[in-house]
Amino acid sequence: MSDEVKFDPYRIQRHADELTRIEQVIEDARTSLNSAIVEGGDFSITGTACAMAYPGALDFAFLDTATHKMMVDQFAKKIVTVAKTWHATESVNTTNVSEV
Amino acid sequence: MSAFAMADTLMDVAAAEAGAVGAVLQPAIMINFEFSLSKGNPVNLDTAGQKWRDAAAKIEQAKNQLQQAVAKLPPEAWTGDDRTAYEQKVRQLCEQFDVIHAYCMVVGVTLTTFAVALLLYAIFAVGMGTALMVILAVVLAEAATVVGAPAAIAEGESAAGTCLVITSVATGILAGVAEMAAGMFQLSAIGGTAMESRDGDSQAFDDLKRGEEEGAITASVNLAQNAANAGLNYLNRTGAKGTPLKSVDLDADVDKDGNWNAGGNAGVGFGEEDKQNITVGGHVQLHDGHVVGGQGEVNYTAPNGVSVGANGGRNSDGSWSGHVTGGYEPTYQGGKTHYYDANGEQQEYTPPGWQAGGNIDIGGGYDPRTGHWNGSVTGNQTLQGGTYESLSATVDNDGHGHGDITTGRTDWGGDQTSTTKY
């Protein structure tokens, strides 16, 4: 039936693995940002306005990319859980039907 | 080496010239002071800018991979309303990635733009230093006699006064560029947050708030350092009584994993004419409020240009490393000239000196948990505060007898490295 809900748990797992690889790409971006920590005097004393605005900009980038990495992680975990739960339920149903 | 590496040498040349002229013509003292306020590190800023642009490219890559992964998922692998909801959520996430990408590009470009502003200022400063030297040459020629001195000095001070006005305008422009760059950092963060929030990221404003709170700690440390150094630069300007404390360096930086690096250095001059200089400092790394690493450093420079130093300690990952440094960078001084000042008294003019030489850094590290060790030797040729040639060799060992040896050379032509495994 076309309205039926169906999962292919093995294909879903592969999709979740792809998401985990994407998490690593985000982490690589964070590692790049990590080496963009700048000394206070690097903007020069005249550039102090910059030296005061920059740390907040960098820290926001750290936190924002961490949040998005976690979002991808949650996608991966949730869909694997749903697929496994459906698969377990379907197995039970199939067994019941054949026993009748 | 990029053009930015020249900026250090240019600023030091300009400052030395303005300082020497300042001993004769008062307004040049303030020009030298403004130069000291405007010396930054454009190499570091440009490198940081490149890192932001690298991060932007990776975020773009993550977004593309995510879109492809969802598109490749066959319809029969997952059917139902949940699938539709998932694809909608992925679309929102991709829009958020676009926002992050744009934000990283803006910050990365702004950093390099400000590095360019510092380099342009350095080029202006060298031009100004040359102009001051030319004015001074005329003054000294005419002030060679008691009779000619008062008029010559007065004219020289007037010309130098005009130079100071021009310099103050240039410094003001640099400060203005800094304000605009600061604005770009702030507005992009706020704008990005608003767009991400619209695109479904409910965490965005919390991240911005926490980022600004933690960033404010670093910001106030940076402000304290710059304010202190501005004051010290003023107290130590040419002709002033000076103070033993020459400079301070204060750090409080958080990294991507929430670890803090905090500490500072102070540079003190002592002895005759404060020509002996010692810098002492230390840093600690904190994780969750616990000290996980600490390093100390000390450096001594003698009046004849010889320097020795050592730094090292325990790193936050549990490994140990240390460096020993030494250098010989003497200042070559031209001969002194006599002239008469406006009061008819004979004075001595000391032309700006040229500092040239080399320094060497020998370092090593060891990780007791893995047995991994490394060693390095780097030699630099320097001119007037800037490095124009650098040779290095490093050896790396994984603790089991295998590793690699890397040699490198950096000069005006660029960087070349080669690595051999063993």
Side-chain angles (χ1 to χ4, degrees), chain A residues 4 6-8 15 18 27 30 34 39-40 42-43 45-46 48 51-52 54 57 59-60 64 67-68, chain B residues 37-38 41 44 52 72 77-79 86 96 103 114 193 196 201 207 214 219 222 226 249 251 255-256:
Chain A
E4 193 184 325
K6 258 190 334 178
F7 284 96
D8 177 349
H15 181 67
E18 276 178 319
E27 188 58 32
R30 302 184 78 239
N34 216 32
E39 271 282 329
D42 284 351
F43 290 97
I45 297 172
T46 306
T48 296
M52 295 186 66
Y54 182 73
D59 203 33
F60 168 61
D64 197 39
T67 298
H68 284 84
Chain B
L37 297 182
S38 306
N41 194 329
N44 280 3
W52 279 86
K72 276 190 320 190
W78 183 1
T79 64
Y86 174 63
Q96 290 168 29
Y103 174 64
F114 195 73
T193 304
E196 283 180 36
D201 177 4
D207 284 341
E214 286 179 350
N222 287 347
N226 284 345
D249 179 354
D251 296 305
D255 75 3
K256 71 177 171 85

Side-chain angles (χ1 to χ4, degrees), chain A residues 18-76:
Chain A
E18 276 178 319
L19 292 182
T20 307
R21 279 194 288 280
I22 291 168
E23 278 181 65
Q24 186 52 46
V25 175
I26 300 174
E27 188 58 32
D28 289 343
R30 302 184 78 239
T31 304
S32 273
L33 290 177
N34 216 32
S35 35
I37 293 175
V38 158
E39 271 282 329
D42 284 351
F43 290 97
S44 84
I45 297 172
T46 306
T48 296
C50 257
M52 295 186 66
Y54 182 73
L58 182 61
D59 203 33
F60 168 61
F62 285 152
L63 295 169
D64 197 39
T65 46
T67 298
H68 284 84
K69 185 181 161 198
M70 188 193 63
M71 284 177 183
V72 174
D73 193 56
Q74 282 179 347
F75 281 5

Side-chain angles (χ1 to χ4, degrees), chain B residues 77-296:
Chain B
W78 183 1
T79 64
D81 294 337
D82 279 351
R83 164 89 186 242
T84 315
Y86 174 63
E87 289 190 5
Q88 169 62 13
K89 276 242 166 289
V90 165
R91 259 194 297 278
Q92 278 188 332
L93 191 58
C94 288
E95 279 169 22
Q96 290 168 29
F97 279 149
D98 278 336
V99 172
I100 300 175
H101 168 85
Y103 174 64
C104 288
M105 285 302 292
V106 164
V107 176
V109 166
T110 305
L111 280 167
T112 295
T113 305
F114 195 73
V116 170
L118 285 173
L119 176 61
L120 292 177
Y121 188 93
I123 294 169
F124 152 77
V126 153
M128 176 54 72
T130 307
L132 287 172
M133 296 290 283
V134 167
I135 293 168
L136 183 67
V138 172
V139 167
L140 290 178
E142 291 176 11
T145 67
V146 179
V147 168
I153 300 274
E155 257 183 57
E157 296 226 328
S158 169
T162 307
C163 289
L164 175 58
V165 170
I166 295 169
T167 303
S168 296
V169 168
T171 309
I173 291 171
L174 185 64
V177 173
E179 298 271 339
M180 286 197 301
M184 290 304 284
F185 294 148
Q186 295 286 52
L187 291 174
S188 314
I190 294 169
T193 304
M195 286 172 68
E196 283 180 36
S197 190
R198 176 206 68 185
D199 289 335
D201 177 4
S202 56
Q203 177 84 352
F205 274 104
D206 285 339
D207 284 341
L208 178 67
K209 182 163 164 283
R210 185 171 147 206
E212 292 292 338
E213 280 171 359
E214 286 179 350
I217 298 170
T218 310
S220 42
V221 168
N222 287 347
L223 177 63
Q225 173 185 324
N226 284 345
N229 283 333
L232 292 173
N233 286 350
Y234 185 73
L235 289 174
N236 291 318
R237 68 194 186 280
T238 311
K241 188 160 158 258
T243 166
L245 185 61
K246 299 299 174 196
S247 67
V248 294
D249 179 354
L250 305 168
D251 296 305
D253 299 302
V254 67
D255 75 3
K256 71 177 171 85
D257 301 315
N259 301 318
W260 283 87
N261 177 40
N265 290 338
V268 174
F270 60 98
E272 194 189 307
E273 285 182 27
D274 282 353
K275 285 222 166 100
Q276 298 192 70
N277 204 285
I278 190 160
T279 308
V280 183
H283 287 83
V284 290
Q285 289 81 46
L286 300 153
H287 180 78
D288 277 350
H290 303 289
V291 175
V292 294
Q295 300 85 35

